[in-house]
């Protein structure tokens, strides 16, 4: 029974996509919701059945040959790295569907894009075959492009193209890196294989090749640039505010909660295992970039007059923390990074949901149009304060656990990193509170706001579970952490071992 | 004996020519504009019977490889039989040519509504197809020349079908001038090769070049070899549209009737690459590795020229003309990056078929739009996405295929080509190639943006697919592209 646990996660949204396209429009929303809820329900046996002791190995693995002569197989599996992200994806799907419940334009195509995106996102996290990983990774771009470009706001075309081209640039570098590894592995083992685990055993020469960079460095950067763009890290983050702001609410939620996580997931799954030495060499650079991102994101968020833009820049800041946690190269930092990944998904997803709730009624994202909502929308106000607390890491909520562990890890690695990162956390409180203050408090400036409706049932259905999860992770993070403990604690030993015998002086390719 | 060795192998070509001649006779007998259905059926019979013949040939071929034993025949017949060669690669090309011709016939019937008499167009298309088959199966340079001319001459006419349209005349004239120039160079190359080897048979030349290389021969012979190789590269470059010999393509593709452009971009490119493969990978196999860098640079320049020039275009036909130039670059990379010791036809073949289906499908849709909205400026697409969902979904599929975005077959095609280059250690080519597709993505996305994201222009005629046959062509291409995406291992890499 457990053997085919994962396949439905990927296949159900695909079937639902076809169903939405073929059946009449009035069914679209229902199909999308049902399929995403089934996905969520399937997560329960997966959570319970996931063997935490074995979390370093792929569980429920399936492998079907596809192109035999190139060793390409359709292979999926779940390990400690992908486990939390798959759950997060499946959790955020119903949220995104419910957030888009009132979307009127081209509902059929809209829901089809969502479900296709769901399939591709799940596939990306589940793939244990590098080729299929890449296919899913790229396939994700098309529905997202359409979601932003068709259902977005005024600047949607620009934002969608920018999103696509930035990400595609990174993907192509990654493709070149994949080719290099693929061919090098063939040269060493004699057969083509696209299995990620066996490819990471490929020895890539550390000899300088091009501008002082070795093959391993180039492969490392090929992967890393792709993932850092997706994260996004400081100089390549500019697509994110545009995409976030222009995307429809559901699109923003998935973008923030899931798509950005693929960057950090990719760093852990590909960049570091394939280029461990290079990661060692370039850690300071990446850490400094992420520190710049933390502070810069926080400052820019503080200056915004647009709610969605504020949340978008806060993502730059928060994801900078996640990358910093990875750069600390110790289990604490890594654990914090993984937890913070989830936290950011929950809190930013919820924030976008709440902002979308306001936008649906007032069609404005400007702070200037709001103020004093606390007296009109008490329940909305409660939830936005709650989510803001989670986002700025108030102890007792999930954000605290993640940020604390990341800071601990980075202090252990480099005191200065830790100190600068703490500053970022403080500024985080500043801009989050600004958001809360400008929306909720003060006099009601615009008379239209007096007639706003408070949360409805569907909003409670989203917000209450998300809030409970925030509390749960805040009070009892062990429930999630224990599941992936071995894979996180041994992570820094494992990628090294793959290269351990490289020092014998062999020079491949 | 004659049946087995001559008629069956030649049947795919002969059936096309027979139908073409029959069509001309029919027109004389029935008169202009009469018996349209009969003429269409005869025209469709050509490629259909040709496909059938291919399946028969492939069966005989798998039973016994057709080896010509010269002594079994009268000398003249043996001599003739040695001028062509059939193998599985050629047969797949035959099938593709027949299929593309079939689609082109359907499109001509559906879209060339301003012609009352179409049997000329049909018979010209069939002659072109026959020429292409001769070209890709030729084993003698003389046959290559014959096939090339049989393919090119009717195409010049097809491009200029609309006599009173000044753009069509420009297109035909340009194509004719460039094409004849290319033929001249080809003849010159053939003359050089005959001068140095004393034979026109490709397989003999292959053997002789190998001998010459291994025996480290005199400089003059290798000079004439290099010269003929360069001449062939230029002549083929004109035909398949490699930069810097691509200048005729945008104007010709734009001026030609849209269904004919689709045919040129798919089938003629396919035949051209079939010949290019034969020339560079078989005939010059032994010297290929010496010159692969030049060929690779040619391919890369072509990619970049095509993709960069397409960025500035606002007419869909011109965009796809430049796109076809950049695709020629990727296709040529598959030839340049081939391992001479272990020739893999898979990547080139897969790319050719996917690209051809994509191109024909796209031009079917473009014909629909042109017939409804007058021209093919980019903004004619505005709002089409939700007005005609299925048509637009097909166009989206073709565009994603052209851009090489997973999970479409276009991505797989590029993947195989790049993998070939990477396994030859040409990582620079791979990096430049993928960067070129990044440039390309921009204009493909522009098309998608117009299709789905822009508001429709006011007062634009609604799109109607008047001729249902058009759907057959478009959906068949889409199905083909999807099929190839699902069966990438088809050609055993």
């Amino acid at each position: 029974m457990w053997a085919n646990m994962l396949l439905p996660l990927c296949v159900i949204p695909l079937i639902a996509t076809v169903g939405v396209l073929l059946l009449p429009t009035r069914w679209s929303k229902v199909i999308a919701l049902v399929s995403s809820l089934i996905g969520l329900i399937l997560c329960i046996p997966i959570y319970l059945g996931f063997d935490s002791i074995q979390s370093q190995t792929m569980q429920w693995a399936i492998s079907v040959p596809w192109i035999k002569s190139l060793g390409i197989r359709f292979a999926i599996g779940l390990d400690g790295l992908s486990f939390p992200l798959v759950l997060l994806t499946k959790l955020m799907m119903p949220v995104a569907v419910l957030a888009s419940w009132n979307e009127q334009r081209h509902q059929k195509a809209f829901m089809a894009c969502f479900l296709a995106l769901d399939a591709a996102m799940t596939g990306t996290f589940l793939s244990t075959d590098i080729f299929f990983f890449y296919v899913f990774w790229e396939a994700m771009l098309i529905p997202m492009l359409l979601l932003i470009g068709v259902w977005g706001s005024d600047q949607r075309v620009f934002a969608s193209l920018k999103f696509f081209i930035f990400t595609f640039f990174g993907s192509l570098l990654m493709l070149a890196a994949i080719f290099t590894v693929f061919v090098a592995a063939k040269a060493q083992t004699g057969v083509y294989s696209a299995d990620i685990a066996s490819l990471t055993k490929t020895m890539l020469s550390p000899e300088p090749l091009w501008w002082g960079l070795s093959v391993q460095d180039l492969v490392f950067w090929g992967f890393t640039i792709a993932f850092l763009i997706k994260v996004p890290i400081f100089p390549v983050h500019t697509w994110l505010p545009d995409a976030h702001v222009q995307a429809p609410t559901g699109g923003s939620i998935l973008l923030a909660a899931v798509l950005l996580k693929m960057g950090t997931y990719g760093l852990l799954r590909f960049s570091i295992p394939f280029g461990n030495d290079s990661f060692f060499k370039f850690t300071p650079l990446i850490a400094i970039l992420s520190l710049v991102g933390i502070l810069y994101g926080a400052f820019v968020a503080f200056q915004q007059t647009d709610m969605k833009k504020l949340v978008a820049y806060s993502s730059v800041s928060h994801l900078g923390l996640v990358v910093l946690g990875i750069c600390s190269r110790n289990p604490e930092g890594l654990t914090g990074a993984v937890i913070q990944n989830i936290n950011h998904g929950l809190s930013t997803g919820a924030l976008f949901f709440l902002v979308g709730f306001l936008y649906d009624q007032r069609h404005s994202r400007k702070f200037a149009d709001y103020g004093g909502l606390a007296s009109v929308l008490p329940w909305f106000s409660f939830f936005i304060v709650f989510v803001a607390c989670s986002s700025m890491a108030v102890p007792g909520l999930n954000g605290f656990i993640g940020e604390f562990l990341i800071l601990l890890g980075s202090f252990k690695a480099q005191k200065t990193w830790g100190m600068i990162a703490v500053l970022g956390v403080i500024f985080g409180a500043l801009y989050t509170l600004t958001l809360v203050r400008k929306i909720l408090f003060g006099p009601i400036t615009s008379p239209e706001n007096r007639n706003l409706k408070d949360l409805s049932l569907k909003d409670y259905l989203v917000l209450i579970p998300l809030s409970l999860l925030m509390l749960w992770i805040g009070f009892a993070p062990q429930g999630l952490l224990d599941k992936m403990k071995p894979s996180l604690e041994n992570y820094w030993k494992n990628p090294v071992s793959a290269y351990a015998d490289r020092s014998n002086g062999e020079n491949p390719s | 004996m004659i049946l087995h060795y001559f008629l069956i192998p030649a049947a795919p070509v002969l059936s096309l020519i027979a139908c073409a001649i029959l069509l001309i006779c029919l027109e004389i007998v029935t008169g202009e504009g009469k018996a349209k259905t009969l003429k269409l059926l005869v025209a469709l019979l050509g490629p259909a019977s040709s496909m059938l013949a291919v399946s028969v040939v492939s069966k005989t071929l798998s039973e016994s490889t057709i080896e010509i034993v010269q002594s079994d025949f009268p000398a003249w017949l043996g001599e003739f039989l040695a001028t062509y060669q059939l193998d599985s690669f050629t047969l797949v090309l035959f099938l593709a040519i027949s299929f593309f011709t079939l689609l082109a016939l359907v499109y001509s019937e559906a879209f060339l509504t301003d012609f009352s008499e179409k049997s000329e167009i049909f018979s010209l298309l069939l002659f072109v197809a026959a020429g292409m088959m001769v070209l890709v199966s030729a084993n003698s340079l003389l046959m290559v020349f014959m096939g090339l001319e049989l393919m090119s001459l009717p195409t010049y006419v097809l491009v200029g079908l609309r006599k009173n349209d000044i753009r069509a005349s420009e297109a035909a004239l340009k194509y004719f001038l460039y094409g004849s120039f290319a033929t001249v160079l080809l003849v010159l190359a053939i003359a050089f090769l005959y001068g140095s080897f004393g034979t026109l048979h490709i397989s003999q030349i292959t053997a002789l070049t190998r001998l010459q290389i291994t025996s480290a021969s005199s400089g003059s012979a290798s000079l004439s070899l290099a010269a003929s190789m360069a001449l062939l590269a230029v002549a083929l470059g004109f035909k398949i549209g490699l930069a810097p010999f691509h200048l005729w393509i945008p104007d010709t593709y734009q001026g030609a009737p849209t269904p004919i452009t689709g045919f040129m971009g798919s089938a003629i490119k396919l035949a051209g690459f079939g010949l290019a493969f034969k020339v560079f990978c078989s005939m010059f196999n032994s010297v290929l590795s010496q010159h692969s860098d030049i060929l690779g640079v040619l391919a890369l320049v072509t990619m970049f020229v095509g993709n960069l020039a397409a960025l500035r275009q606002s007419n869909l036909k011109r965009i796809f003309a430049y796109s076809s130039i950049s695709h020629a670059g990727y296709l040529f990379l598959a030839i340049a990056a081939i391992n001479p010791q272990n020739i893999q036809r898979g990547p080139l073949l897969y790319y050719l078929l996917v690209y051809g289906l994509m191109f024909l499908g796209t031009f079917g849709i473009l014909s629909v739009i042109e017939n409804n909205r007058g021209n093919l400026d980019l903004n004619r697409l505005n709002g089409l996405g939700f007005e005609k969902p299925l048509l637009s979904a097909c166009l989206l599929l073709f565009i994603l295929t052209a851009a090489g975005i997973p999970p479409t077959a276009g991505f797989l095609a590029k993947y195989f080509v790049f993998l070939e280059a990477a396994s030859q250690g040409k990582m620079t080519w791979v990096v430049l190639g993928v960067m070129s597709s990044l440039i390309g993505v921009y204009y493909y996305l522009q098309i998608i943006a117009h299709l789905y994201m822009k508001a429709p222009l006011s007062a634009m005629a609604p799109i109607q697919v008047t001729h249902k046959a058009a759907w057959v062509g478009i959906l068949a291409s889409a199905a083909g592209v999807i099929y190839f995406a699902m069966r990438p291992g088809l050609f055993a890499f």
Side-chain angles (χ1 to χ4, degrees):
Chain A
M1 181 210 164
W2 299 110
N4 294 320
M5 238 18 264
L6 301 175
L7 203 55
L9 290 184
C10 214
V11 171
I12 288 174
L14 267 186
I15 297 170
T17 312
V18 180
V20 163
L21 287 175
L22 295 181
L23 292 171
T25 310
R26 62 177 186 280
W27 290 95
S28 307
K29 283 199 286 194
V30 182
I31 296 175
L33 187 63
V34 168
S35 121
S36 51
L37 282 178
I38 293 176
L40 184 57
I41 292 166
L42 280 175
C43 287
I44 297 169
I46 286 176
Y47 176 80
L48 296 175
F50 186 77
D51 185 354
S52 50
I53 299 157
Q54 299 287 320
S55 72
Q56 273 174 293
T57 52
M58 288 293 166
Q59 305 188 16
W60 300 301
I62 301 173
S63 179
V64 183
W66 196 55
I67 307 177
K68 283 193 183 126
S69 50
L70 296 183
I72 295 172
R73 310 168 72 88
F74 176 76
I76 56 177
L78 194 68
D79 72 352
L81 290 180
S82 49
F83 169 74
L85 293 167
V86 170
L87 296 193
L88 182 68
T89 309
K90 290 298 164 188
L91 176 69
M92 295 320 278
M93 263 316 287
V95 175
V97 171
L98 283 173
S100 325
W101 203 249
N102 299 325
E103 180 64 60
Q104 299 299 328
R105 290 166 295 167
H106 314 301
Q107 246 177 36
K108 190 187 254 194
F110 188 74
M111 291 302 165
C113 282
F114 259 137
L115 292 168
L117 190 60
D118 185 10
M121 292 187 305
T122 317
T124 311
F125 289 130
L126 288 180
S127 289
T128 58
D129 180 286
I130 205 164
F131 180 86
F132 271 94
F133 168 81
Y134 187 80
V135 167
F136 282 124
W137 168 276
E138 289 284 276
M140 209 164 52
L141 295 182
I142 304 157
M144 202 63 215
L145 169 87
L146 292 176
L147 277 176
I148 301 174
V150 180
W151 292 275
S153 320
D154 308 335
Q155 299 288 313
R156 58 183 190 276
V157 179
F158 167 75
S160 62
L161 295 197
K162 191 172 175 184
F163 158 75
F164 196 101
I165 287 173
F166 262 73
T167 324
F168 199 65
F169 169 73
S171 310
L172 290 174
L173 289 181
M174 171 160 69
L175 186 62
I178 291 176
F179 281 128
T180 315
V181 175
F182 210 49
V183 171
K186 162 86 157 64
Q188 285 164 32
T189 61
V191 286
Y192 277 122
S193 164
D195 180 47
I196 295 171
S198 53
L199 280 181
T200 49
K201 296 194 180 70
T202 311
M203 289 169 286
L204 298 168
S205 157
E207 302 292 316
L209 175 80
W210 186 71
W211 285 28
L213 296 171
S214 66
V215 175
Q216 196 187 122
D217 293 342
L218 291 172
V219 167
F220 172 75
W221 279 114
F223 279 112
T224 306
I225 290 174
F227 298 133
L228 291 185
I229 289 175
K230 199 85 166 184
V231 166
I233 207 87
F234 164 62
V236 285
H237 68 283
T238 59
W239 65 269
L240 181 79
D242 286 314
H244 261 337
V245 173
Q246 302 302 326
T249 306
S252 300
I253 291 174
L254 288 183
L255 195 59
V258 184
L259 263 68
L260 304 189
K261 308 304 174 297
M262 287 173 182
T264 47
Y265 169 75
L267 286 178
L268 293 175
R269 173 75 80 207
F270 296 93
S271 295
I272 297 171
F274 278 114
N276 196 40
D277 290 354
S278 313
F279 182 64
F280 195 81
K281 197 153 70 176
F282 294 110
T283 308
L285 174 63
I286 299 172
I288 287 167
L289 285 179
S290 58
L291 283 171
V292 172
I294 294 171
L295 293 180
Y296 171 84
F299 281 130
V300 180
F302 182 57
Q303 291 296 323
Q304 294 307 315
T305 55
D306 179 307
M307 295 191 281
K308 265 189 153 178
K309 251 196 174 136
L310 188 147
V311 183
Y313 277 106
S314 82
S315 292
V316 175
S317 184
H318 282 156
L319 266 299
L321 264 180
V322 176
V323 176
L324 185 70
I326 295 172
C327 287
S328 67
R329 286 210 312 265
N330 49 39
E332 291 85 356
L334 181 67
T335 313
V338 170
I339 287 283
Q340 187 64 7
N341 251 349
I342 307 291
N343 293 339
H344 176 260
L346 294 175
S347 58
T348 310
L351 269 180
F352 273 123
F353 185 86
L354 288 162
V355 171
F357 168 81
L358 276 188
Y359 184 76
D360 272 357
Q361 296 195 36
R362 285 280 275 113
H363 296 283
S364 165
R365 296 181 306 252
K366 299 276 174 225
F367 287 125
D369 290 333
Y370 298 100
L373 294 190
S375 58
V376 190
L377 305 172
W379 282 110
F380 170 82
S381 309
F382 168 75
F383 278 109
I384 205 165
V385 170
F386 187 88
V387 171
C389 287
S390 147
S391 174
M392 63 191 174
V394 169
L397 289 175
N398 58 346
F400 177 70
I401 308 291
E403 293 196 357
F404 181 78
L405 283 171
I406 291 174
L407 292 178
L408 189 68
S410 48
F411 267 114
K412 263 176 122 177
Q414 276 281 349
K415 290 224 164 40
T416 34
W417 296 357
M419 280 150 76
I420 298 172
V422 167
L423 281 181
V425 175
I426 295 170
F427 289 124
L430 199 62
Y431 64 74
T432 318
L433 288 174
T434 311
L435 170 84
V436 172
R437 181 178 63 81
K438 284 186 175 166
I439 299 178
L440 298 186
F441 303 122
I444 296 180
T445 46
S446 123
E448 292 163 60
N449 288 340
R450 291 188 190 283
N451 305 323
L452 292 178
K453 288 191 192 65
D454 209 346
L455 304 178
S456 65
L457 177 67
K458 94 175 157 59
D459 306 313
Y460 287 121
L461 280 180
V462 169
L463 290 170
I464 291 174
L466 286 182
S467 308
L468 289 178
L469 274 174
M470 290 173 195
L471 272 176
W472 179 58
I473 297 180
F475 277 106
Q478 294 308 323
L480 194 60
L481 281 181
D482 282 351
K483 284 281 177 190
M484 41 201 180
K485 204 170 187 177
S487 66
L488 295 183
E489 283 184 346
N490 297 323
Y491 183 82
W492 298 111
K493 299 172 201 152
N494 198 24
V496 186
S497 69
Y499 296 90
D501 44 3
R502 184 192 353 82
S503 48
N504 299 346
E506 286 146 300
N507 192 356
S509 68
Chain B
M1 202 63 170
I2 297 279
L3 179 80
H4 190 258
Y5 285 119
F6 175 69
L7 274 181
I8 289 181
V13 184
L14 287 180
S15 61
L16 282 174
I17 292 180
C19 287
I21 293 172
L22 188 60
L23 268 175
I24 297 175
C25 299
L26 259 180
E27 197 202 342
I28 298 168
V29 172
T30 61
E32 208 180 297
K34 304 244 170 57
K36 284 183 179 168
T37 327
L38 180 66
K39 286 173 187 165
L40 178 65
L41 281 178
V42 172
L44 293 178
L45 184 69
S49 59
S50 173
M51 283 163 115
L52 198 70
V54 168
S55 67
V56 174
V57 177
S58 71
K59 200 172 278 173
T60 39
L61 205 63
S62 61
E63 279 163 10
S64 61
T65 47
I66 299 180
E67 270 180 44
I68 308 302
V69 188
Q70 299 247 351
S71 55
D72 288 358
F73 301 102
W76 61 269
L77 186 57
E79 192 70 20
F80 175 71
L81 289 180
T83 56
Y84 64 81
Q85 190 183 30
L86 296 177
D87 51 26
S88 53
F89 178 66
T90 321
L91 288 180
V92 175
L93 290 183
F94 273 22
L95 270 184
I97 290 168
S98 309
F99 187 69
F100 292 164
T101 312
L102 209 57
L103 289 185
L105 289 169
V106 170
Y107 285 163
S108 308
E109 171 66 19
F111 298 121
L112 294 180
T113 43
D114 48 340
F115 292 89
S116 60
E117 179 54 56
K118 295 205 188 90
S119 58
E120 290 167 4
I121 304 175
F122 294 157
S123 63
L124 286 171
L125 279 172
L126 293 182
F127 276 123
V128 177
M132 291 192 277
M133 287 189 180
V134 172
L135 188 62
V136 296
S137 63
N139 189 31
S140 150
L141 291 171
L142 214 54
M143 279 305 242
V144 167
F145 176 70
M146 289 257 298
L148 200 68
E149 287 300 277
L150 185 55
M151 175 179 94
S152 303
L153 290 174
T155 318
Y156 303 141
V157 183
L158 284 170
V159 170
L161 270 181
R162 297 205 169 99
K163 294 191 273 286
N164 302 320
D165 181 358
I166 190 143
R167 275 195 178 281
S169 312
E170 181 204 355
L173 185 67
K174 260 195 181 150
Y175 189 28
F176 176 69
L177 290 177
Y178 277 104
S180 345
F181 187 62
T183 312
V184 169
L185 294 180
L186 183 86
V187 173
L188 199 56
I190 292 174
F192 268 120
L193 284 171
Y194 188 74
S196 18
F197 298 110
T199 172
L200 286 170
H201 285 297
I202 289 176
S203 41
Q204 289 177 18
I205 294 176
T206 312
L208 287 170
T209 44
R210 182 158 297 134
L211 205 67
Q212 203 181 52
I213 292 303
T214 46
S215 64
S217 71
S218 58
S220 71
S222 67
L223 184 68
S224 90
L225 194 66
S228 57
M229 193 163 167
L231 284 168
L232 273 171
V234 176
L236 281 168
F238 273 115
K239 284 290 167 193
I240 57 186
L242 295 179
F245 319 114
H246 67 285
L247 293 165
W248 59 274
I249 286 193
D251 291 328
T252 304
Y253 277 22
Q254 191 185 11
T258 312
I260 303 300
T261 312
F263 182 65
M264 288 171 68
S266 54
I268 293 186
K269 278 242 158 114
L270 179 110
F273 274 99
L275 177 61
F277 184 85
K278 193 190 295 279
V279 166
F280 292 112
C281 301
S282 304
M283 194 160 82
F284 293 130
N285 183 302
S286 42
V287 287
L288 184 62
S289 49
Q290 294 170 18
H291 300 286
S292 67
D293 279 339
I294 301 173
L295 301 183
V297 168
L298 208 57
L300 288 169
V301 168
T302 308
M303 275 176 218
F304 275 98
V305 165
N307 278 333
L308 285 171
L311 291 177
R312 300 287 299 163
Q313 304 301 322
S314 62
N315 181 290
L316 280 165
K317 259 169 130 178
R318 281 188 91 83
I319 291 179
F320 279 101
Y322 281 111
S323 146
S324 87
I325 294 171
S326 77
H327 280 292
Y330 292 103
L331 283 161
F332 203 64
L333 197 70
I335 290 178
I338 220 153
N339 180 0
Q341 270 80 48
N342 177 20
I343 300 251
Q344 294 285 337
R345 289 151 170 171
L348 179 73
L349 197 54
Y350 187 81
Y351 200 124
L352 270 176
L353 296 183
V354 169
Y355 159 78
L357 285 170
M358 179 280 293
F359 202 80
L360 264 173
T362 310
F363 272 74
I365 295 172
L366 294 192
S367 309
V368 172
I369 296 163
E370 190 183 36
N371 280 18
N372 282 279
R373 292 191 170 164
N375 66 38
L376 280 172
D377 285 339
L378 204 47
N379 58 18
R380 301 287 132 171
L381 284 178
N382 289 11
L384 192 67
F386 296 102
E387 187 189 329
K388 295 297 264 177
L390 184 58
L391 198 71
S392 311
C394 289
L395 186 55
L396 179 67
L397 173 70
F398 295 137
I399 290 170
L400 293 177
T401 305
I405 293 167
T408 60
F411 163 69
L412 292 164
K414 286 204 172 85
Y415 187 89
F416 297 139
V417 172
F418 288 141
L419 185 62
E420 197 185 17
S423 62
Q424 290 288 96
K426 314 272 190 196
M427 274 317 289
T428 330
W429 295 7
V430 175
V431 173
L432 288 172
V434 296
M435 282 305 125
S436 159
S437 19
L438 177 71
I439 301 170
V441 153
Y442 182 74
Y443 62 85
Y444 292 122
L445 286 183
Q446 286 293 341
I447 305 175
I448 297 178
H450 276 275
L451 194 59
Y452 283 101
M453 302 175 193
K454 302 249 162 111
L457 301 181
S458 56
M460 205 137 68
I463 296 277
Q464 280 168 331
V465 186
T466 40
H467 210 298
K468 292 291 172 271
W471 273 120
V472 178
I474 293 165
L475 291 179
S477 319
V481 169
I482 293 172
Y483 175 76
F484 279 114
M486 281 157 50
R487 293 287 308 280
L490 211 57
F491 303 118
F493 296 103

